[in-house]
């Protein structure tokens, strides 16, 4: 592994420090939920490509990319926190501790055929375009940028007749739970416009969602995600009670929700 160069990262809110094993479990569930569609959408990856996975987390998609590019290809996985990535031992996968916002890009080596990220940009409040521009700089001419990020504000209960519906919405406020914490609750849908502003071409966007019940893997993942975000924002008693209200509903299998809208966006650097 290449040694640390990163500075402090006030931009990222879900940092694992102090809650390492809880974050490991949360990221594990995240991978189980999101990997199947991410693999399908990245199926255009070719043997021998050089790929960069930015904000790779626990690294399941970086490992998958390493399998796709084969022994003559190469994958670089970066994160500001590489504690989970350093457990991986894959010959054509290199792990580099690196912030896409702050650290020199030449640390990552030759330009890439494909640069990917997933569920990272949303958290980089106000500096998403800066991060995208830097990812574009990592591409060779004609290389692809691929990102998956969400409109998290759209994750909402669907059945007003359910006894938990009104209480949940009182806390959730149609997703303004995020807005009041300074996040853009519909960030994902802005990806094509941001990609275009950053000079990418041949843009494509695919959006998906799903209706799931309380107690499902998604709901079990969503509960700690809300709890952690709430704590990071200096929780008070009222906001903790709010999260408890949502948690109770999210554990109830008769409570149905429409998930976030997940936007996958592709764009190509000019030749
Ligand atoms: C929600 S996790 C998603 C992890 C992984 N992309 C996945 O989908 O399985 C976001 C990741 O982005 C990383 N991250 C946050 N800010 C970053 C930055 N400036 N540069 C690189 N990685 C960053 C975090 O440490 C975290 O591992």
């Amino acid at each position: 592994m290449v040694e640390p160069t990163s500075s402090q990262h006030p931009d990222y809110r879900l940092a694992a420090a102090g809650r390492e094993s809880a974050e490991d479990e949360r990221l594990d569930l995240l991978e189980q939920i999101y990997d199947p569609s991410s693999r399908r959408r990245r199926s255009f990856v070719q043997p021998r490509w050089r790929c960069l996975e930015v904000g790779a987390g626990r690294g399941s998609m970086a490992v998958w990319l390493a399998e796709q590019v084969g022994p003559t290809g190469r994958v670089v996985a970066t994160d500001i926190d590489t504690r989970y990535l350093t457990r991986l031992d894959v010959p054509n996968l290199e792990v580099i501790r690196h912030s896409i916002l702050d650290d020199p890009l030449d640390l990552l080596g030759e330009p890439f055929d494909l640069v990917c990220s997933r569920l990272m940009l949303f958290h980089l409040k106000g500096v998403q375009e800066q991060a995208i521009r830097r990812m574009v700089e990592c591409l060779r001419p004609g290389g692809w940028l691929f990102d998956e990020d969400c409109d998290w504000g759209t994750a909402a209960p669907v059945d007003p007749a359910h006894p938990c519906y009104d209480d949940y919405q009182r806390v959730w406020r149609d997703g303004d739970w995020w807005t009041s914490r300074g996040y853009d609750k519909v960030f994902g849908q802005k990806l094509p416009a941001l990609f275009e502003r950053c000079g990418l071409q041949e843009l494509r966007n695919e959006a998906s969602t799903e209706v799931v019940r309380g107690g499902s893997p998604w709901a079990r993942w969503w509960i700690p995600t809300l709890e952690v975000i709430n704590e990071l924002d200096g929780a008070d008693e009222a906001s903790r009670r709010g999260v408890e209200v949502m948690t109770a509903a999210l554990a109830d299998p008769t409570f149905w929700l429409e998930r976030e809208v997940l936007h996958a966006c592709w764009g190509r650097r000019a030749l």
Side-chain angles (χ1 to χ4, degrees):
M1 191 195 95
V2 170
E3 269 313 300
T5 55
S6 308
S7 50
Q8 296 301 306
H9 298 284
D11 304 308
Y12 186 61
R13 321 302 307 287
L14 286 162
R19 40 178 292 280
E20 290 80 0
S21 92
E23 183 63 2
D24 197 13
E25 277 172 35
R26 200 188 69 84
L27 289 175
D28 182 23
L29 254 183
L30 179 156
E31 291 179 346
Q32 291 174 38
I33 294 164
Y34 291 95
D35 281 7
S37 60
S38 294
R39 290 176 184 189
R40 188 168 37 77
R41 287 173 170 140
R42 295 181 188 201
S43 58
F44 62 98
V45 178
Q46 298 296 313
R48 293 192 297 280
W49 272 13
R50 269 182 63 79
C51 303
L52 171 65
E53 182 79 28
V54 177
R58 284 175 93 250
S60 63
M61 287 313 299
V63 171
W64 180 85
L65 281 174
E67 286 163 10
Q68 307 311 300
V69 299
T72 53
R74 184 141 200 84
V75 176
V76 174
T78 69
D79 205 291
I80 50 173
D81 180 350
T82 49
R83 77 186 72 217
Y84 309 118
L85 295 173
T86 49
R87 300 182 296 207
L88 304 172
D89 184 14
V90 178
N92 58 344
L93 171 63
E94 182 184 9
V95 172
I96 303 180
R97 184 170 158 193
H98 184 273
S99 166
I100 194 61
L101 290 168
D102 308 310
D103 291 327
L105 298 178
D106 56 12
L107 287 175
L108 305 176
E110 295 298 303
F112 293 89
D113 300 295
L114 172 68
V115 174
C116 298
S117 64
R118 182 177 73 179
L119 308 183
M120 174 191 70
L121 289 174
F122 172 82
H123 296 282
L124 306 183
K125 295 192 278 192
V127 285
Q128 285 106 346
E129 184 168 336
Q130 188 185 322
I132 294 170
R133 284 191 189 282
R134 284 174 56 93
M135 290 198 268
V136 172
E137 277 183 59
C138 298
L139 290 169
R140 67 159 170 81
W144 289 92
L145 180 64
F146 175 77
D147 179 61
E148 288 167 291
D149 261 283
C150 300
D151 299 339
W152 292 108
T154 61
V158 295
D159 179 12
H162 193 280
C164 294
Y165 181 91
D166 286 342
D167 286 343
Y168 194 102
Q169 279 289 23
R170 240 189 307 279
V171 178
W172 184 242
R173 304 188 308 281
D174 279 329
D176 282 337
W177 188 88
W178 288 108
T179 317
S180 61
R181 289 165 172 78
Y183 293 89
D184 179 353
K185 68 175 180 176
V186 288
F187 170 71
Q189 62 187 245
K190 296 180 178 142
L191 285 172
L194 282 166
F195 273 31
E196 187 157 65
R197 238 182 2 250
C198 294
L200 292 168
Q201 302 177 345
E202 298 182 45
L203 300 176
R204 203 179 129 206
N205 173 261
E206 198 176 289
S208 58
T209 187
E210 187 187 4
V211 176
V212 293
R213 59 166 85 244
S216 60
W218 181 86
R220 285 190 282 113
W221 170 76
W222 192 228
I223 290 170
T225 303
L226 294 175
E227 284 170 349
V228 174
I229 296 278
N230 193 52
E231 290 302 321
L232 289 170
D233 274 297
D236 56 14
E237 264 319 293
S239 74
R240 284 205 186 102
R241 270 199 303 280
V243 171
E244 278 166 22
V245 164
M246 293 196 287
T247 298
L250 287 161
D252 177 349
T254 67
F255 188 70
W256 289 89
L257 303 101
E258 184 162 299
R259 281 176 53 175
E260 75 285 359
V261 176
L262 172 68
H263 291 268
C265 193
W266 294 253
R268 197 165 194 194
R269 186 172 179 166
L271 282 165

